[in-house]
Amino acid sequence: MRNATLHHKVLWAASLAVLVFGGLCAGHRYALDVAVDYDAGTFAGTLDIGFVNPAPRDLDEVWFRVYANAPGLFGSAHVDVLSAEVHGVAAPLAAFVDDTAWVVSLPAPLAPGQSASLRLAFEGRASRLDRSDPGDAGYGLLTKSDHALTLTTFYPVIAPYLDEGWALDPVMPFGDALFAEAADYLVTLRLPEGVRAIPPLEGQPPRTYAATSARDVAFVLVDDDRVAVSASWRAGAALAWFEPPHAEAATLAAQHAAAALDVFSSHLGPPPQETLHVVEVPLAGVAGMELHGMVLVSSAYGARPRDPFFEVIVSHETAHQWFYAAVGNDPVEAPWLDEAFATYLSNVYFAEIVSEARAEAERQDWALRYASARATYPLLGPGSPLYAFPDGTTYSAFVYSGGALALAKMRAEMGDEAFFVALRSYVCALTGRIATPEDLAAALAAQGGLLDDGLSPCP
């Protein structure tokens, strides 16, 4: 991209000016232009960034995370950053933390609140996922399968800047990796004929997708005739996209998601986007995954939608539209701030939509799993950081089950009205930001509640 013509340079500068000064989000702005070789499962493009210094000090470098290079979660998928420019001039670039952290040096210190125009050129490849043999696909989040190319975390994302500095933790082989500030996105995808994107793109080829105040952008590219079913909720729609043989799963997924959106919005306020896409893809090691404005459901459950866990997957991942997509959190230091909430809200959904008996049975299951984990690891708690857990099963027992039990306990102690008023005010105040346990403690205290000891931040 350093040898781009003057015409291209002018267009780039103009489009980036719109991103920096004309968007809705007060923070970073991303413009992606990506060409996809669907059959090969590869992609290449540029990322133009309107970077705003979020630190309370001058910065002489900008750090990016490339989570797709973590084999525990993404298998053999890989993304390479080829070059970097700052204000149109080549800039030094280096990789660290097993190629999951990349740093671009700035030509001059950038003062707090000031902006800079950066461009990265990158290319990547998805891992191959055969549903009969997951192989080295990790979770299946950046994979090419028979009729889908799943593109999540396929581009470099600016690392959050916290009180202690840039968030550059190594990526664990379980849990969630993506940690990003809310940003505005404009994505141009150049796709082969016969391939379409979910969420759908706008305009004529090459088509575009725009999102405001989003944690990430992700796409599922397909070449089959997907069954698309829509179900309405009070402020929008849930759209389910499933493989042709799985029409029943599409219908049920849309209904479950719409009902969950109604339940959760009644307690918490509206989600970041009025339309939620529920998409069936082959996954490995996980049953579902949350993305901003989209939920992935494993094909294993698309084939058996009457499995009771199917409804758990859809409702749990839908709840992440509030806790992760709207209210961000550090998934390494405080993973319970999204996973415990998503687990508990799924239970609220079952209590209000299915039956209290069904919800109580789930809570009893949490208690058994949590008690067993505590007996083995008495020094851990639901509020422990991700790196404290020895494996994914233990992590789930503490953070999902134990964290959800703590939230149920808070609700019982505070009463329904005070509990949900506290959560609603917490969501309202922290939407578009990164929350901490202290933020939640303050919201609970305002309604007379206390953060459970197992969730309290360490002194």
Side-chain angles (χ1 to χ4, degrees), residues 260-275:
L261 288 164
D262 270 330
V263 170
F264 303 152
S265 63
S266 70
H267 292 301
L268 304 170
Q273 293 184 266
E274 294 177 351
T275 300

PDB file of all heavy atoms in Angstrom, residues 260-275:
ATOM      1  N   ALA A 260     -36.074 -13.915  24.110  1.00  0.00           N
ATOM      2  CA  ALA A 260     -35.002 -13.489  25.020  1.00  0.00           C
ATOM      3  C   ALA A 260     -34.760 -11.988  24.914  1.00  0.00           C
ATOM      4  O   ALA A 260     -34.559 -11.306  25.932  1.00  0.00           O
ATOM      5  CB  ALA A 260     -33.726 -14.265  24.701  1.00  0.00           C
ATOM      6  N   LEU A 261     -34.772 -11.448  23.707  1.00  0.00           N
ATOM      7  CA  LEU A 261     -34.602 -10.000  23.540  1.00  0.00           C
ATOM      8  C   LEU A 261     -35.700  -9.241  24.259  1.00  0.00           C
ATOM      9  O   LEU A 261     -35.447  -8.200  24.891  1.00  0.00           O
ATOM     10  CB  LEU A 261     -34.594  -9.652  22.052  1.00  0.00           C
ATOM     11  CG  LEU A 261     -33.337 -10.065  21.277  1.00  0.00           C
ATOM     12  CD1 LEU A 261     -33.603 -10.037  19.773  1.00  0.00           C
ATOM     13  CD2 LEU A 261     -32.161  -9.171  21.621  1.00  0.00           C
ATOM     14  N   ASP A 262     -36.924  -9.746  24.211  1.00  0.00           N
ATOM     15  CA  ASP A 262     -38.025  -9.107  24.931  1.00  0.00           C
ATOM     16  C   ASP A 262     -37.803  -9.146  26.442  1.00  0.00           C
ATOM     17  O   ASP A 262     -37.962  -8.135  27.134  1.00  0.00           O
ATOM     18  CB  ASP A 262     -39.347  -9.795  24.584  1.00  0.00           C
ATOM     19  CG  ASP A 262     -40.044  -9.169  23.386  1.00  0.00           C
ATOM     20  OD1 ASP A 262     -39.878  -7.958  23.168  1.00  0.00           O
ATOM     21  OD2 ASP A 262     -40.739  -9.902  22.665  1.00  0.00           O
ATOM     22  N   VAL A 263     -37.446 -10.318  26.955  1.00  0.00           N
ATOM     23  CA  VAL A 263     -37.244 -10.459  28.400  1.00  0.00           C
ATOM     24  C   VAL A 263     -36.113  -9.567  28.885  1.00  0.00           C
ATOM     25  O   VAL A 263     -36.259  -8.795  29.851  1.00  0.00           O
ATOM     26  CB  VAL A 263     -36.953 -11.927  28.763  1.00  0.00           C
ATOM     27  CG1 VAL A 263     -36.493 -12.043  30.216  1.00  0.00           C
ATOM     28  CG2 VAL A 263     -38.190 -12.795  28.542  1.00  0.00           C
ATOM     29  N   PHE A 264     -34.979  -9.641  28.217  1.00  0.00           N
ATOM     30  CA  PHE A 264     -33.811  -8.908  28.698  1.00  0.00           C
ATOM     31  C   PHE A 264     -33.994  -7.395  28.546  1.00  0.00           C
ATOM     32  O   PHE A 264     -33.600  -6.627  29.426  1.00  0.00           O
ATOM     33  CB  PHE A 264     -32.560  -9.374  27.960  1.00  0.00           C
ATOM     34  CG  PHE A 264     -32.292 -10.858  28.080  1.00  0.00           C
ATOM     35  CD1 PHE A 264     -31.613 -11.536  27.070  1.00  0.00           C
ATOM     36  CD2 PHE A 264     -32.709 -11.573  29.183  1.00  0.00           C
ATOM     37  CE1 PHE A 264     -31.365 -12.894  27.169  1.00  0.00           C
ATOM     38  CE2 PHE A 264     -32.473 -12.938  29.301  1.00  0.00           C
ATOM     39  CZ  PHE A 264     -31.804 -13.594  28.282  1.00  0.00           C
ATOM     40  N   SER A 265     -34.586  -6.953  27.440  1.00  0.00           N
ATOM     41  CA  SER A 265     -34.781  -5.511  27.260  1.00  0.00           C
ATOM     42  C   SER A 265     -35.768  -4.951  28.275  1.00  0.00           C
ATOM     43  O   SER A 265     -35.660  -3.791  28.686  1.00  0.00           O
ATOM     44  CB  SER A 265     -35.240  -5.208  25.834  1.00  0.00           C
ATOM     45  OG  SER A 265     -36.491  -5.806  25.560  1.00  0.00           O
ATOM     46  N   SER A 266     -36.726  -5.774  28.715  1.00  0.00           N
ATOM     47  CA  SER A 266     -37.680  -5.300  29.722  1.00  0.00           C
ATOM     48  C   SER A 266     -36.992  -5.017  31.052  1.00  0.00           C
ATOM     49  O   SER A 266     -37.428  -4.161  31.817  1.00  0.00           O
ATOM     50  CB  SER A 266     -38.804  -6.322  29.910  1.00  0.00           C
ATOM     51  OG  SER A 266     -38.335  -7.495  30.561  1.00  0.00           O
ATOM     52  N   HIS A 267     -35.927  -5.744  31.330  1.00  0.00           N
ATOM     53  CA  HIS A 267     -35.203  -5.554  32.589  1.00  0.00           C
ATOM     54  C   HIS A 267     -34.021  -4.594  32.464  1.00  0.00           C
ATOM     55  O   HIS A 267     -33.657  -3.926  33.442  1.00  0.00           O
ATOM     56  CB  HIS A 267     -34.675  -6.896  33.094  1.00  0.00           C
ATOM     57  CG  HIS A 267     -35.735  -7.852  33.548  1.00  0.00           C
ATOM     58  ND1 HIS A 267     -36.628  -7.552  34.558  1.00  0.00           N
ATOM     59  CD2 HIS A 267     -36.054  -9.105  33.126  1.00  0.00           C
ATOM     60  CE1 HIS A 267     -37.447  -8.572  34.745  1.00  0.00           C
ATOM     61  NE2 HIS A 267     -37.122  -9.533  33.888  1.00  0.00           N
ATOM     62  N   LEU A 268     -33.398  -4.526  31.279  1.00  0.00           N
ATOM     63  CA  LEU A 268     -32.106  -3.838  31.150  1.00  0.00           C
ATOM     64  C   LEU A 268     -32.115  -2.653  30.206  1.00  0.00           C
ATOM     65  O   LEU A 268     -31.135  -1.915  30.141  1.00  0.00           O
ATOM     66  CB  LEU A 268     -31.044  -4.833  30.663  1.00  0.00           C
ATOM     67  CG  LEU A 268     -30.848  -6.084  31.502  1.00  0.00           C
ATOM     68  CD1 LEU A 268     -29.944  -7.072  30.772  1.00  0.00           C
ATOM     69  CD2 LEU A 268     -30.275  -5.742  32.867  1.00  0.00           C
ATOM     70  N   GLY A 269     -33.192  -2.465  29.451  1.00  0.00           N
ATOM     71  CA  GLY A 269     -33.170  -1.464  28.403  1.00  0.00           C
ATOM     72  C   GLY A 269     -32.767  -2.100  27.082  1.00  0.00           C
ATOM     73  O   GLY A 269     -32.466  -3.291  27.016  1.00  0.00           O
ATOM     74  N   PRO A 270     -32.750  -1.333  26.008  1.00  0.00           N
ATOM     75  CA  PRO A 270     -32.529  -1.905  24.674  1.00  0.00           C
ATOM     76  C   PRO A 270     -31.101  -2.404  24.470  1.00  0.00           C
ATOM     77  O   PRO A 270     -30.161  -1.889  25.083  1.00  0.00           O
ATOM     78  CB  PRO A 270     -32.835  -0.733  23.736  1.00  0.00           C
ATOM     79  CG  PRO A 270     -32.565   0.486  24.565  1.00  0.00           C
ATOM     80  CD  PRO A 270     -32.985   0.124  25.956  1.00  0.00           C
ATOM     81  N   PRO A 271     -30.941  -3.407  23.590  1.00  0.00           N
ATOM     82  CA  PRO A 271     -29.601  -3.888  23.242  1.00  0.00           C
ATOM     83  C   PRO A 271     -28.944  -2.928  22.259  1.00  0.00           C
ATOM     84  O   PRO A 271     -29.596  -1.991  21.762  1.00  0.00           O
ATOM     85  CB  PRO A 271     -29.889  -5.247  22.588  1.00  0.00           C
ATOM     86  CG  PRO A 271     -31.226  -5.056  21.947  1.00  0.00           C
ATOM     87  CD  PRO A 271     -31.993  -4.149  22.873  1.00  0.00           C
ATOM     88  N   PRO A 272     -27.661  -3.131  21.930  1.00  0.00           N
ATOM     89  CA  PRO A 272     -26.981  -2.205  21.021  1.00  0.00           C
ATOM     90  C   PRO A 272     -27.588  -2.141  19.627  1.00  0.00           C
ATOM     91  O   PRO A 272     -27.547  -1.103  18.990  1.00  0.00           O
ATOM     92  CB  PRO A 272     -25.553  -2.759  20.966  1.00  0.00           C
ATOM     93  CG  PRO A 272     -25.396  -3.591  22.189  1.00  0.00           C
ATOM     94  CD  PRO A 272     -26.753  -4.141  22.472  1.00  0.00           C
ATOM     95  N   GLN A 273     -28.137  -3.261  19.121  1.00  0.00           N
ATOM     96  CA  GLN A 273     -28.717  -3.276  17.795  1.00  0.00           C
ATOM     97  C   GLN A 273     -30.123  -3.869  17.836  1.00  0.00           C
ATOM     98  O   GLN A 273     -30.386  -4.800  18.601  1.00  0.00           O
ATOM     99  CB  GLN A 273     -27.841  -4.090  16.837  1.00  0.00           C
ATOM    100  CG  GLN A 273     -26.487  -3.448  16.566  1.00  0.00           C
ATOM    101  CD  GLN A 273     -25.676  -4.221  15.537  1.00  0.00           C
ATOM    102  OE1 GLN A 273     -24.867  -5.049  15.890  1.00  0.00           O
ATOM    103  NE2 GLN A 273     -25.891  -3.927  14.275  1.00  0.00           N
ATOM    104  N   GLU A 274     -31.008  -3.344  17.006  1.00  0.00           N
ATOM    105  CA  GLU A 274     -32.388  -3.818  17.006  1.00  0.00           C
ATOM    106  C   GLU A 274     -32.537  -5.176  16.339  1.00  0.00           C
ATOM    107  O   GLU A 274     -33.490  -5.903  16.618  1.00  0.00           O
ATOM    108  CB  GLU A 274     -33.286  -2.797  16.297  1.00  0.00           C
ATOM    109  CG  GLU A 274     -33.388  -1.467  17.040  1.00  0.00           C
ATOM    110  CD  GLU A 274     -34.225  -0.457  16.288  1.00  0.00           C
ATOM    111  OE1 GLU A 274     -34.570  -0.740  15.118  1.00  0.00           O
ATOM    112  OE2 GLU A 274     -34.530   0.599  16.860  1.00  0.00           O
ATOM    113  N   THR A 275     -31.602  -5.513  15.447  1.00  0.00           N
ATOM    114  CA  THR A 275     -31.657  -6.799  14.741  1.00  0.00           C
ATOM    115  C   THR A 275     -30.530  -7.693  15.233  1.00  0.00           C
ATOM    116  O   THR A 275     -29.366  -7.278  15.285  1.00  0.00           O
ATOM    117  CB  THR A 275     -31.525  -6.604  13.222  1.00  0.00           C
ATOM    118  OG1 THR A 275     -32.605  -5.786  12.763  1.00  0.00           O
ATOM    119  CG2 THR A 275     -31.575  -7.944  12.500  1.00  0.00           C
TER     120      THR A 275
END
